Coordinates of all heavy atoms in Angstrom, one line a residue:
M1 N -46.5 -84.6 -12.5 CA -47.9 -84.8 -12.9 C -48.7 -83.5 -12.8 O -48.6 -82.8 -11.8 CB -48.5 -85.9 -12.0 CG -49.9 -86.2 -12.3 SD -50.6 -87.5 -11.3 CE -50.7 -88.8 -12.5
K2 N -49.4 -83.2 -13.8 CA -50.2 -82.0 -13.8 C -51.4 -82.1 -12.9 O -52.0 -83.1 -12.8 CB -50.6 -81.6 -15.3 CG -49.4 -81.3 -16.1 CD -49.9 -80.9 -17.5 CE -48.7 -80.5 -18.4 NZ -49.1 -80.0 -19.7
S3 N -51.8 -81.0 -12.4 CA -53.0 -80.9 -11.4 C -54.3 -80.7 -12.2 O -54.3 -80.2 -13.3 CB -52.8 -79.7 -10.5 OG -51.7 -79.9 -9.7
T4 N -55.3 -81.2 -11.5 CA -56.7 -80.9 -12.0 C -57.4 -80.0 -11.0 O -57.3 -80.2 -9.8 CB -57.5 -82.3 -12.1 OG1 -56.8 -83.1 -13.0 CG2 -58.9 -82.1 -12.5
I5 N -58.0 -79.0 -11.6 CA -58.8 -78.0 -10.8 C -60.3 -78.4 -10.9 O -60.8 -78.6 -12.0 CB -58.6 -76.6 -11.2 CG1 -57.1 -76.2 -11.1 CG2 -59.5 -75.6 -10.5 CD1 -56.7 -74.9 -11.7
T6 N -61.0 -78.4 -9.8 CA -62.4 -78.7 -9.8 C -63.2 -77.5 -9.3 O -62.8 -77.0 -8.2 CB -62.7 -80.0 -9.0 OG1 -62.0 -81.0 -9.5 CG2 -64.2 -80.3 -9.0
I7 N -64.2 -77.1 -10.0 CA -65.1 -76.0 -9.5 C -66.5 -76.6 -9.3 O -67.1 -77.1 -10.3 CB -65.2 -74.9 -10.5 CG1 -63.8 -74.3 -10.7 CG2 -66.1 -73.8 -10.0 CD1 -63.7 -73.3 -11.9
E8 N -66.9 -76.7 -8.1 CA -68.3 -77.2 -7.8 C -69.2 -75.9 -7.5 O -68.8 -75.1 -6.6 CB -68.3 -78.1 -6.6 CG -69.6 -78.7 -6.3 CD -69.6 -79.7 -5.2 OE1 -68.5 -80.3 -4.9 OE2 -70.7 -80.0 -4.6
Y9 N -70.3 -75.8 -8.2 CA -71.1 -74.6 -8.1 C -72.6 -75.0 -7.9 O -73.0 -76.0 -8.3 CB -70.9 -73.7 -9.3 CG -71.4 -74.4 -10.6 CD1 -72.7 -74.1 -11.0 CD2 -70.6 -75.3 -11.3 CE1 -73.2 -74.8 -12.2 CE2 -71.1 -75.9 -12.4 CZ -72.4 -75.6 -12.9 OH -72.9 -76.3 -14.0
C10 N -73.3 -74.0 -7.4 CA -74.8 -74.2 -7.2 C -75.5 -73.7 -8.5 O -75.5 -72.5 -8.7 CB -75.3 -73.5 -6.0 SG -77.1 -73.6 -5.8
P11 N -76.1 -74.6 -9.2 CA -76.8 -74.2 -10.4 C -78.1 -73.4 -10.1 O -78.5 -72.6 -10.8 CB -77.1 -75.5 -11.2 CG -77.0 -76.6 -10.2 CD -76.1 -76.1 -9.1
R12 N -78.7 -73.7 -8.9 CA -79.9 -73.0 -8.5 C -79.6 -71.6 -8.2 O -80.5 -70.7 -8.2 CB -80.6 -73.8 -7.3 CG -81.2 -75.1 -7.8 CD -81.5 -76.0 -6.6 NE -80.4 -76.5 -5.8 CZ -79.5 -77.3 -6.1 NH1 -79.5 -77.9 -7.3 NH2 -78.6 -77.7 -5.3
C13 N -78.4 -71.3 -7.8 CA -78.0 -69.9 -7.5 C -77.5 -69.2 -8.8 O -77.1 -68.0 -8.7 CB -76.9 -69.9 -6.5 SG -77.3 -70.6 -4.9
H14 N -77.6 -69.9 -9.9 CA -77.2 -69.3 -11.2 C -75.7 -68.9 -11.2 O -75.3 -67.9 -11.8 CB -78.1 -68.1 -11.6 CG -79.5 -68.5 -11.6 ND1 -80.1 -69.3 -12.6 CD2 -80.5 -68.2 -10.7 CE1 -81.3 -69.5 -12.3 NE2 -81.6 -68.8 -11.2
W15 N -74.8 -69.8 -10.6 CA -73.4 -69.5 -10.6 C -72.6 -70.2 -11.6 O -71.4 -70.2 -11.6 CB -72.9 -69.8 -9.2 CG -73.3 -68.9 -8.1 CD1 -73.7 -67.6 -8.3 CD2 -73.4 -69.1 -6.7 NE1 -74.0 -67.0 -7.2 CE2 -73.9 -67.9 -6.1 CE3 -73.2 -70.1 -5.9 CZ2 -74.1 -67.7 -4.8 CZ3 -73.4 -70.0 -4.6 CH2 -73.8 -68.8 -4.0
M16 N -73.3 -70.8 -12.6 CA -72.6 -71.5 -13.7 C -71.7 -70.5 -14.5 O -70.6 -70.8 -14.8 CB -73.5 -72.2 -14.6 CG -72.7 -73.0 -15.7 SD -73.7 -74.0 -16.8 CE -74.4 -72.7 -17.8
L17 N -72.2 -69.3 -14.7 CA -71.5 -68.3 -15.5 C -70.2 -68.0 -14.8 O -69.1 -67.9 -15.4 CB -72.3 -67.1 -15.8 CG -71.7 -66.1 -16.7 CD1 -71.3 -66.6 -18.0 CD2 -72.6 -64.9 -16.9
R18 N -70.3 -67.8 -13.5 CA -69.1 -67.4 -12.7 C -68.1 -68.6 -12.7 O -66.9 -68.4 -12.8 CB -69.5 -67.1 -11.2 CG -68.3 -66.7 -10.4 CD -68.7 -66.5 -8.9 NE -69.8 -65.5 -8.8 CZ -69.6 -64.2 -8.5 NH1 -68.4 -63.7 -8.4 NH2 -70.6 -63.4 -8.4
A19 N -68.6 -69.8 -12.6 CA -67.8 -71.0 -12.6 C -67.0 -71.1 -14.0 O -65.8 -71.4 -14.0 CB -68.6 -72.3 -12.3
T20 N -67.7 -70.9 -15.1 CA -67.1 -71.0 -16.4 C -66.1 -69.8 -16.6 O -65.1 -70.0 -17.2 CB -68.1 -71.0 -17.5 OG1 -68.9 -69.8 -17.5 CG2 -69.0 -72.2 -17.4
Y21 N -66.4 -68.7 -16.0 CA -65.4 -67.5 -16.1 C -64.1 -67.9 -15.3 O -63.0 -67.8 -15.8 CB -66.0 -66.3 -15.5 CG -65.0 -65.2 -15.2 CD1 -64.3 -64.6 -16.2 CD2 -64.7 -64.9 -13.9 CE1 -63.3 -63.6 -16.0 CE2 -63.7 -63.9 -13.6 CZ -63.0 -63.3 -14.6 OH -62.1 -62.3 -14.4
F22 N -64.3 -68.5 -14.1 CA -63.1 -68.9 -13.3 C -62.3 -70.0 -14.1 O -61.1 -69.9 -14.2 CB -63.5 -69.5 -12.0 CG -63.9 -68.4 -10.9 CD1 -63.9 -67.1 -11.2 CD2 -64.2 -68.8 -9.7 CE1 -64.2 -66.1 -10.3 CE2 -64.5 -67.9 -8.7 CZ -64.5 -66.5 -9.0
A23 N -63.1 -70.9 -14.7 CA -62.4 -72.0 -15.4 C -61.6 -71.4 -16.6 O -60.5 -71.9 -16.8 CB -63.5 -73.0 -16.0
Q24 N -62.2 -70.5 -17.3 CA -61.5 -69.9 -18.5 C -60.2 -69.2 -18.0 O -59.1 -69.3 -18.6 CB -62.4 -68.9 -19.1 CG -61.7 -68.0 -20.2 CD -62.5 -66.9 -20.7 OE1 -63.7 -67.0 -20.8 NE2 -61.9 -65.8 -20.9
E25 N -60.3 -68.5 -16.9 CA -59.1 -67.8 -16.3 C -58.0 -68.8 -15.9 O -56.9 -68.5 -16.2 CB -59.5 -66.9 -15.1 CG -60.3 -65.7 -15.5 CD -59.4 -64.6 -16.2 OE1 -58.2 -64.5 -15.8 OE2 -59.9 -64.0 -17.1
F26 N -58.4 -69.9 -15.3 CA -57.4 -70.9 -14.8 C -56.8 -71.6 -16.0 O -55.6 -71.8 -16.0 CB -58.1 -71.9 -13.9 CG -58.7 -71.4 -12.7 CD1 -59.8 -72.0 -12.0 CD2 -58.3 -70.2 -12.1 CE1 -60.3 -71.5 -10.9 CE2 -58.9 -69.7 -10.9 CZ -59.9 -70.3 -10.3
L27 N -57.6 -71.9 -17.0 CA -57.1 -72.5 -18.2 C -56.1 -71.6 -19.0 O -55.1 -72.1 -19.5 CB -58.2 -73.0 -19.1 CG -59.0 -74.2 -18.6 CD1 -60.3 -74.4 -19.4 CD2 -58.1 -75.5 -18.7
T28 N -56.4 -70.4 -19.0 CA -55.6 -69.4 -19.7 C -54.3 -69.2 -19.0 O -53.2 -69.1 -19.6 CB -56.3 -68.1 -19.9 OG1 -57.5 -68.3 -20.7 CG2 -55.5 -67.1 -20.7
T29 N -54.4 -69.0 -17.7 CA -53.2 -68.6 -16.9 C -52.3 -69.8 -16.7 O -51.1 -69.7 -16.7 CB -53.7 -68.1 -15.5 OG1 -54.5 -67.0 -15.7 CG2 -52.5 -67.7 -14.6
F30 N -52.9 -71.0 -16.5 CA -52.1 -72.2 -16.2 C -52.1 -73.2 -17.3 O -52.1 -74.4 -17.0 CB -52.5 -72.8 -14.9 CG -52.5 -71.8 -13.7 CD1 -53.7 -71.3 -13.2 CD2 -51.3 -71.4 -13.1 CE1 -53.7 -70.4 -12.2 CE2 -51.3 -70.5 -12.1 CZ -52.4 -70.0 -11.6
D31 N -52.1 -72.8 -18.5 CA -52.3 -73.6 -19.7 C -51.3 -74.8 -19.8 O -51.6 -75.9 -20.2 CB -52.3 -72.9 -21.0 CG -51.0 -72.1 -21.2 OD1 -50.3 -71.8 -20.3 OD2 -50.7 -71.7 -22.4
S32 N -50.1 -74.6 -19.3 CA -49.1 -75.7 -19.4 C -48.9 -76.3 -18.0 O -48.1 -77.3 -17.9 CB -47.8 -75.2 -19.9 OG -47.2 -74.2 -19.1
E33 N -49.5 -75.8 -17.0 CA -49.3 -76.4 -15.6 C -50.4 -77.3 -15.1 O -50.2 -78.0 -14.2 CB -49.1 -75.3 -14.6 CG -47.8 -74.5 -14.7 CD -47.9 -73.3 -15.7 OE1 -49.1 -73.0 -16.1 OE2 -46.9 -72.6 -15.9
I34 N -51.6 -77.2 -15.8 CA -52.7 -78.0 -15.3 C -53.2 -79.0 -16.4 O -53.0 -78.8 -17.6 CB -53.9 -77.2 -14.8 CG1 -54.4 -76.3 -15.9 CG2 -53.5 -76.4 -13.6 CD1 -55.7 -75.5 -15.5
K35 N -53.8 -80.1 -15.9 CA -54.3 -81.1 -16.8 C -55.7 -80.8 -17.3 O -56.0 -80.9 -18.4 CB -54.3 -82.5 -16.1 CG -54.8 -83.6 -16.9 CD -54.8 -84.9 -16.1 CE -55.4 -86.0 -16.8 NZ -55.3 -87.3 -16.0
A36 N -56.5 -80.2 -16.3 CA -57.9 -80.0 -16.7 C -58.6 -79.1 -15.6 O -58.1 -79.0 -14.5 CB -58.7 -81.3 -16.8
V37 N -59.7 -78.5 -16.0 CA -60.6 -77.9 -15.1 C -62.0 -78.5 -15.3 O -62.5 -78.6 -16.4 CB -60.7 -76.3 -15.4 CG1 -61.8 -75.7 -14.4 CG2 -59.4 -75.6 -15.2
T38 N -62.5 -79.0 -14.2 CA -63.7 -79.7 -14.2 C -64.8 -78.9 -13.5 O -64.6 -78.4 -12.4 CB -63.6 -81.1 -13.4 OG1 -62.5 -81.8 -14.1 CG2 -64.9 -81.9 -13.5
L39 N -66.0 -78.8 -14.1 CA -67.1 -78.1 -13.5 C -68.1 -79.1 -13.0 O -68.5 -80.0 -13.8 CB -67.8 -77.2 -14.5 CG -66.9 -76.1 -15.1 CD1 -67.7 -75.3 -16.1 CD2 -66.4 -75.2 -14.0
I40 N -68.6 -79.0 -11.8 CA -69.5 -79.9 -11.2 C -70.7 -79.1 -10.7 O -70.6 -78.4 -9.7 CB -68.9 -80.8 -10.1 CG1 -67.7 -81.6 -10.6 CG2 -69.9 -81.7 -9.4 CD1 -66.9 -82.3 -9.5
P41 N -71.9 -79.4 -11.2 CA -73.1 -78.7 -10.6 C -73.4 -79.4 -9.3 O -73.5 -80.6 -9.2 CB -74.2 -79.0 -11.6 CG -73.6 -79.7 -12.8 CD -72.2 -80.1 -12.4
S42 N -73.4 -78.6 -8.2 CA -73.6 -79.2 -6.9 C -75.1 -79.5 -6.6 O -76.0 -78.8 -7.1 CB -73.1 -78.2 -5.9 OG -73.2 -78.7 -4.6
E43 N -75.3 -80.5 -5.7 CA -76.6 -80.7 -5.2 C -76.9 -80.0 -3.9 O -78.0 -80.1 -3.4 CB -76.8 -82.2 -5.1 CG -76.7 -83.0 -6.4 CD -77.0 -84.4 -6.3 OE1 -77.5 -84.9 -5.3 OE2 -76.7 -85.2 -7.3
T44 N -75.9 -79.3 -3.4 CA -76.0 -78.5 -2.2 C -76.3 -77.1 -2.5 O -75.5 -76.4 -3.2 CB -74.7 -78.6 -1.4 OG1 -74.3 -80.0 -1.2 CG2 -74.8 -77.9 -0.1
N45 N -77.4 -76.5 -2.0 CA -77.7 -75.1 -2.2 C -76.6 -74.2 -1.7 O -76.1 -74.4 -0.6 CB -79.1 -74.8 -1.6 CG -80.2 -75.4 -2.3 OD1 -80.2 -75.7 -3.4 ND2 -81.3 -75.6 -1.5
G46 N -76.3 -73.2 -2.5 CA -75.3 -72.2 -2.1 C -73.9 -72.7 -2.2 O -73.0 -71.9 -1.8
A47 N -73.6 -73.8 -2.7 CA -72.2 -74.3 -2.7 C -71.4 -73.7 -3.9 O -71.9 -73.4 -5.0 CB -72.2 -75.8 -3.0
F48 N -70.2 -73.3 -3.5 CA -69.2 -72.9 -4.6 C -67.9 -73.2 -4.0 O -67.4 -72.5 -3.1 CB -69.4 -71.4 -4.9 CG -68.7 -71.1 -6.2 CD1 -69.4 -71.0 -7.4 CD2 -67.3 -70.8 -6.2 CE1 -68.8 -70.7 -8.6 CE2 -66.7 -70.5 -7.4 CZ -67.4 -70.4 -8.6
F49 N -67.2 -74.2 -4.5 CA -65.9 -74.7 -4.0 C -64.9 -74.7 -5.2 O -65.3 -75.0 -6.3 CB -66.0 -76.1 -3.5 CG -67.1 -76.3 -2.4 CD1 -68.1 -77.1 -2.7 CD2 -67.0 -75.7 -1.2 CE1 -69.1 -77.3 -1.8 CE2 -68.0 -75.9 -0.2 CZ -69.0 -76.7 -0.5
V50 N -63.7 -74.5 -4.9 CA -62.6 -74.7 -5.9 C -61.6 -75.6 -5.2 O -61.2 -75.4 -4.0 CB -61.9 -73.4 -6.3 CG1 -60.8 -73.7 -7.2 CG2 -62.9 -72.4 -6.9
S51 N -61.2 -76.7 -5.9 CA -60.3 -77.7 -5.4 C -59.2 -77.9 -6.4 O -59.4 -77.7 -7.6 CB -61.0 -79.0 -5.1 OG -62.0 -78.9 -4.2
V52 N -58.0 -78.2 -5.9 CA -56.9 -78.6 -6.7 C -56.5 -80.0 -6.3 O -56.1 -80.2 -5.1 CB -55.7 -77.6 -6.5 CG1 -54.5 -78.1 -7.4 CG2 -56.0 -76.2 -6.9
D53 N -56.6 -80.9 -7.2 CA -56.3 -82.3 -6.9 C -57.0 -82.8 -5.7 O -56.5 -83.4 -4.7 CB -54.8 -82.5 -6.7 CG -54.0 -82.3 -8.0 OD1 -54.6 -82.5 -9.1 OD2 -52.9 -81.8 -7.9
D54 N -58.3 -82.5 -5.6 CA -59.2 -82.9 -4.6 C -59.0 -82.3 -3.2 O -59.5 -82.7 -2.2 CB -59.2 -84.5 -4.4 CG -59.8 -85.1 -5.7 OD1 -60.7 -84.6 -6.3 OD2 -59.2 -86.2 -6.0
K55 N -58.1 -81.3 -3.2 CA -57.9 -80.5 -1.9 C -58.6 -79.2 -2.0 O -58.2 -78.4 -2.9 CB -56.4 -80.3 -1.7 CG -56.1 -79.5 -0.4 CD -54.6 -79.2 -0.3 CE -54.5 -78.2 0.9 NZ -53.3 -77.4 0.8
K56 N -59.6 -79.0 -1.2 CA -60.4 -77.7 -1.3 C -59.5 -76.5 -0.9 O -58.9 -76.5 0.1 CB -61.6 -77.8 -0.3 CG -62.6 -76.7 -0.6 CD -63.8 -76.8 0.4 CE -64.6 -78.1 0.2 NZ -65.7 -78.2 1.1
I57 N -59.5 -75.5 -1.8 CA -58.7 -74.3 -1.6 C -59.6 -73.1 -1.4 O -59.1 -72.0 -1.0 CB -57.7 -74.0 -2.7 CG1 -58.4 -73.8 -4.0 CG2 -56.7 -75.2 -2.8 CD1 -57.5 -73.1 -5.1
F58 N -60.9 -73.3 -1.8 CA -61.8 -72.1 -1.6 C -63.2 -72.7 -1.3 O -63.7 -73.6 -2.0 CB -61.8 -71.2 -2.9 CG -62.9 -70.2 -2.8 CD1 -62.7 -69.0 -2.0 CD2 -64.1 -70.3 -3.4 CE1 -63.6 -68.1 -1.9 CE2 -65.1 -69.3 -3.3 CZ -64.8 -68.2 -2.6
D59 N -63.9 -72.0 -0.4 CA -65.3 -72.3 0.0 C -66.0 -71.0 0.1 O -65.6 -70.2 1.0 CB -65.3 -73.2 1.3 CG -66.7 -73.5 1.7 OD1 -67.7 -72.8 1.4 OD2 -66.9 -74.5 2.5
R60 N -66.9 -70.7 -0.7 CA -67.6 -69.4 -0.7 C -68.2 -69.1 0.7 O -68.2 -68.0 1.2 CB -68.7 -69.4 -1.8 CG -69.4 -68.0 -1.9 CD -70.8 -68.2 -2.6 NE -71.7 -69.0 -1.9 CZ -72.5 -68.6 -0.9 NH1 -72.4 -67.4 -0.4 NH2 -73.3 -69.5 -0.3
K61 N -68.8 -70.1 1.3 CA -69.5 -69.9 2.6 C -68.4 -69.5 3.7 O -68.7 -68.6 4.5 CB -70.3 -71.1 3.0 CG -71.6 -71.3 2.2 CD -72.4 -72.4 2.7 CE -73.6 -72.6 1.9 NZ -74.4 -73.8 2.2
Q62 N -67.3 -70.2 3.7 CA -66.3 -69.9 4.7 C -65.7 -68.5 4.4 O -65.3 -67.8 5.3 CB -65.2 -71.0 4.7 CG -65.6 -72.3 5.3 CD -64.5 -73.3 5.3 OE1 -63.5 -73.2 4.5 NE2 -64.7 -74.4 6.0
Y63 N -65.5 -68.2 3.1 CA -64.9 -66.9 2.8 C -65.8 -65.8 3.0 O -65.4 -64.6 3.2 CB -64.4 -67.0 1.3 CG -63.6 -65.8 0.8 CD1 -62.3 -65.8 1.0 CD2 -64.2 -64.8 0.1 CE1 -61.5 -64.7 0.5 CE2 -63.5 -63.7 -0.4 CZ -62.2 -63.7 -0.1 OH -61.4 -62.6 -0.6
G64 N -67.1 -66.0 2.9 CA -68.1 -65.0 3.1 C -68.4 -64.2 1.8 O -68.9 -63.1 1.8
G65 N -68.3 -64.9 0.7 CA -68.6 -64.3 -0.6 C -67.6 -64.8 -1.6 O -67.0 -65.9 -1.4
F66 N -67.4 -64.1 -2.7 CA -66.5 -64.5 -3.8 C -65.3 -63.6 -3.7 O -65.4 -62.4 -3.5 CB -67.2 -64.4 -5.2 CG -68.2 -65.4 -5.4 CD1 -69.6 -65.1 -5.2 CD2 -67.9 -66.7 -5.7 CE1 -70.6 -66.1 -5.4 CE2 -68.9 -67.7 -5.9 CZ -70.2 -67.4 -5.8
P67 N -64.1 -64.2 -4.0 CA -62.9 -63.4 -4.0 C -62.7 -62.8 -5.4 O -63.4 -63.2 -6.4 CB -61.8 -64.5 -3.8 CG -62.3 -65.7 -4.5 CD -63.8 -65.6 -4.2
E68 N -61.7 -61.9 -5.5 CA -61.2 -61.5 -6.8 C -60.5 -62.7 -7.4 O -59.9 -63.5 -6.8 CB -60.3 -60.3 -6.7 CG -60.9 -59.0 -6.2 CD -59.9 -57.9 -6.2 OE1 -59.1 -57.8 -7.1 OE2 -60.0 -57.0 -5.3
I69 N -60.6 -62.8 -8.8 CA -60.0 -63.9 -9.5 C -58.5 -63.9 -9.2 O -57.9 -65.0 -9.1 CB -60.3 -63.8 -11.0 CG1 -59.8 -65.1 -11.7 CG2 -59.7 -62.6 -11.6 CD1 -60.6 -66.3 -11.3
K70 N -57.9 -62.8 -9.0 CA -56.4 -62.8 -8.8 C -56.1 -63.5 -7.5 O -55.0 -64.2 -7.4 CB -55.8 -61.4 -8.8 CG -56.3 -60.5 -7.6 CD -56.0 -59.0 -7.8 CE -54.6 -58.7 -7.5 NZ -54.2 -57.4 -7.7
E71 N -56.9 -63.5 -6.5 CA -56.7 -64.2 -5.2 C -56.6 -65.7 -5.5 O -55.8 -66.4 -5.0 CB -57.7 -63.9 -4.2 CG -57.6 -62.4 -3.7 CD -58.7 -62.2 -2.6 OE1 -58.6 -62.6 -1.5 OE2 -59.7 -61.5 -3.0
L72 N -57.6 -66.2 -6.2 CA -57.6 -67.6 -6.5 C -56.5 -68.0 -7.4 O -55.9 -69.1 -7.2 CB -59.0 -68.0 -7.2 CG -60.2 -68.1 -6.3 CD1 -61.4 -68.3 -7.1 CD2 -60.0 -69.1 -5.3
K73 N -56.1 -67.2 -8.4 CA -54.9 -67.5 -9.2 C -53.7 -67.6 -8.4 O -52.8 -68.5 -8.6 CB -54.8 -66.4 -10.3 CG -55.8 -66.5 -11.4 CD -55.4 -65.5 -12.4 CE -56.3 -65.4 -13.6 NZ -55.9 -64.3 -14.6
Q74 N -53.5 -66.7 -7.4 CA -52.3 -66.7 -6.6 C -52.3 -68.0 -5.8 O -51.2 -68.7 -5.6 CB -52.3 -65.5 -5.7 CG -52.0 -64.2 -6.4 CD -52.2 -63.0 -5.6 OE1 -52.7 -63.0 -4.5 NE2 -51.8 -61.8 -6.1
T75 N -53.4 -68.4 -5.2 CA -53.5 -69.6 -4.4 C -53.2 -70.9 -5.3 O -52.4 -71.7 -4.9 CB -54.9 -69.8 -3.8 OG1 -55.1 -68.6 -2.9 CG2 -55.0 -71.0 -2.9
I76 N -53.8 -70.9 -6.5 CA -53.5 -72.0 -7.4 C -52.1 -72.0 -7.8 O -51.4 -73.1 -7.8 CB -54.5 -72.0 -8.6 CG1 -55.9 -72.3 -8.1 CG2 -54.0 -73.0 -9.7 CD1 -57.0 -72.0 -9.1
R77 N -51.5 -70.9 -8.2 CA -50.1 -70.8 -8.6 C -49.2 -71.4 -7.5 O -48.3 -72.1 -7.8 CB -49.8 -69.3 -8.9 CG -48.3 -69.1 -9.3 CD -47.3 -68.7 -8.3 NE -47.8 -67.8 -7.2 CZ -47.7 -66.5 -7.3 NH1 -47.2 -65.9 -8.3 NH2 -48.2 -65.8 -6.3
D78 N -49.5 -71.0 -6.2 CA -48.6 -71.5 -5.1 C -48.6 -73.0 -5.0 O -47.7 -73.6 -4.5 CB -49.1 -70.8 -3.8 CG -48.8 -69.3 -3.8 OD1 -48.1 -68.8 -4.7 OD2 -49.4 -68.7 -2.9
I79 N -49.7 -73.6 -5.5 CA -49.7 -75.1 -5.5 C -49.2 -75.7 -6.8 O -48.4 -76.7 -6.7 CB -51.2 -75.6 -5.3 CG1 -51.7 -75.1 -4.0 CG2 -51.3 -77.1 -5.5 CD1 -53.3 -75.2 -3.8
V80 N -49.6 -75.2 -7.9 CA -49.2 -75.9 -9.2 C -47.9 -75.4 -9.8 O -47.3 -76.2 -10.6 CB -50.3 -75.9 -10.2 CG1 -51.6 -76.5 -9.7 CG2 -50.6 -74.5 -10.7
S81 N -47.5 -74.2 -9.5 CA -46.3 -73.7 -10.1 C -45.7 -72.5 -9.3 O -45.8 -71.3 -9.7 CB -46.6 -73.2 -11.5 OG -45.4 -72.8 -12.2
P82 N -45.2 -72.8 -8.1 CA -44.8 -71.7 -7.2 C -43.9 -70.6 -7.7 O -43.9 -69.5 -7.3 CB -44.1 -72.5 -6.1 CG -44.6 -73.9 -6.1 CD -44.9 -74.1 -7.6
G83 N -43.1 -70.9 -8.7 CA -42.2 -69.9 -9.3 C -42.8 -69.1 -10.4 O -42.1 -68.1 -10.8
K84 N -44.0 -69.4 -10.8 CA -44.6 -68.7 -11.9 C -45.0 -67.2 -11.6 O -45.6 -67.0 -10.5 CB -45.8 -69.4 -12.4 CG -46.5 -68.8 -13.6 CD -47.7 -69.7 -14.0 CE -48.4 -69.1 -15.2 NZ -47.8 -69.4 -16.4
S85 N -44.6 -66.3 -12.4 CA -45.1 -64.9 -12.3 C -46.5 -64.8 -12.8 O -46.8 -65.3 -13.9 CB -44.1 -64.0 -13.0 OG -44.7 -62.7 -13.0
L86 N -47.3 -64.1 -12.1 CA -48.7 -63.8 -12.6 C -48.8 -62.4 -13.1 O -49.9 -61.9 -13.3 CB -49.7 -64.1 -11.5 CG -49.8 -65.5 -11.0 CD1 -50.8 -65.6 -9.9 CD2 -50.2 -66.5 -12.1
G87 N -47.7 -61.7 -13.3 CA -47.8 -60.3 -13.8 C -48.6 -59.4 -12.9 O -48.3 -59.4 -11.7
H88 N -49.5 -58.7 -13.5 CA -50.3 -57.8 -12.7 C -51.1 -58.4 -11.6 O -51.5 -57.8 -10.6 CB -51.2 -56.9 -13.6 CG -52.3 -57.7 -14.2 ND1 -52.1 -58.4 -15.4 CD2 -53.6 -57.8 -13.9 CE1 -53.2 -59.0 -15.7 NE2 -54.2 -58.6 -14.8
S89 N -51.4 -59.7 -11.7 CA -52.1 -60.4 -10.7 C -51.3 -60.8 -9.5 O -51.9 -61.3 -8.5 CB -52.7 -61.8 -11.3 OG -53.7 -61.5 -12.2
D90 N -50.0 -60.4 -9.5 CA -49.2 -60.6 -8.3 C -49.2 -59.4 -7.4 O -48.6 -59.5 -6.3 CB -47.7 -60.9 -8.7 CG -47.5 -62.4 -8.9 OD1 -48.2 -63.2 -8.2 OD2 -46.6 -62.8 -9.6
T91 N -49.9 -58.4 -7.8 CA -49.9 -57.2 -6.9 C -50.9 -57.5 -5.7 O -51.8 -58.2 -5.9 CB -50.4 -55.9 -7.6 OG1 -51.7 -56.2 -8.2 CG2 -49.4 -55.5 -8.7
P92 N -50.7 -56.9 -4.6 CA -51.5 -57.1 -3.4 C -53.0 -56.7 -3.7 O -53.2 -55.8 -4.5 CB -50.9 -56.2 -2.3 CG -49.6 -55.9 -2.8 CD -49.6 -56.0 -4.3
V93 N -53.9 -57.4 -3.1 CA -55.3 -57.1 -3.2 C -55.6 -56.0 -2.3 O -55.2 -55.9 -1.1 CB -56.2 -58.4 -2.8 CG1 -57.6 -58.0 -2.9 CG2 -55.8 -59.5 -3.7
H94 N -56.4 -55.0 -2.8 CA -56.8 -53.8 -2.0 C -58.3 -54.0 -1.6 O -59.1 -54.0 -2.5 CB -56.6 -52.5 -2.8 CG -55.2 -52.3 -3.2 ND1 -54.2 -51.9 -2.3 CD2 -54.5 -52.5 -4.4 CE1 -53.0 -51.8 -2.9 NE2 -53.2 -52.2 -4.2
H95 N -58.5 -54.0 -0.3 CA -59.9 -54.1 0.1 C -60.3 -52.7 0.7 O -59.5 -52.0 1.3 CB -60.0 -55.1 1.3 CG -59.8 -56.5 0.8 ND1 -60.7 -57.2 0.1 CD2 -58.7 -57.3 0.9 CE1 -60.2 -58.4 -0.2 NE2 -59.0 -58.5 0.3
S96 N -61.5 -52.3 0.4 CA -62.0 -51.0 0.9 C -62.6 -51.1 2.3 O -63.1 -52.1 2.7 CB -63.1 -50.5 0.0 OG -62.7 -50.5 -1.4

C-alpha cells in the first residue's frame, strides 16, 4: 500500500510556499512510491509538521528551524522505499 505524506503548515507565518515546494519535491522524488501529498493549513501558530501515514517525522519547533530538503527526502525514503537511491541527495549533510 502506498503512503500518504501530510504537510501541516502555519498560514499566518506565510509558510504555504515552503509547504508547496516540499510537496513538489516529494511528489517528484517518490512519484511511484506514494499515494498523495496533503497540505493542511494549521490553526496552531508556528506549526510546520511533516507526517508519513499519520506518523510525524518532522516538527519545525523540535528541530529548531527548517531542514534541507534532502534530509526530509532521506527520512521519507527510509520509510516508503528503503532501497531507493536518491542520487546526489544521498550525500551527507554539511553543517557550518
Side-chain angles (χ1 to χ4, degrees):
M1 181 178 247
K2 293 183 178 185
S3 295
T4 298
I5 298 170
T6 303
I7 303 169
E8 183 176 339
Y9 66 94
C10 176
R12 288 166 298 289
C13 298
H14 305 288
W15 288 336
M16 185 178 72
L17 186 58
R18 184 183 304 264
T20 59
Y21 165 68
F22 283 3
Q24 173 190 322
E25 287 289 321
F26 300 154
L27 287 166
T28 301
T29 302
F30 303 106
D31 60 339
S32 61
E33 291 90 4
I34 61 175
K35 180 179 177 181
V37 175
T38 304
L39 300 178
I40 300 173
S42 182
E43 294 185 17
T44 304
N45 287 336
F48 196 98
F49 309 111
V50 178
S51 303
V52 177
D53 296 329
D54 297 322
K55 179 185 175 205
K56 192 181 296 180
I57 62 162
F58 175 78
D59 178 334
R60 183 199 62 82
K61 288 182 182 178
Q62 287 180 345
Y63 187 84
F66 289 99
E68 291 185 35
I69 187 66
K70 68 192 278 177
E71 291 179 75
L72 284 175
K73 285 183 183 182
Q74 289 169 350
T75 302
I76 291 170
R77 181 267 318 271
D78 293 346
I79 296 167
V80 303
S81 186
K84 182 179 181 77
S85 170
L86 296 177
H88 68 279
S89 289
D90 269 334
T91 58
V93 176
H94 300 285
H95 294 283
S96 308

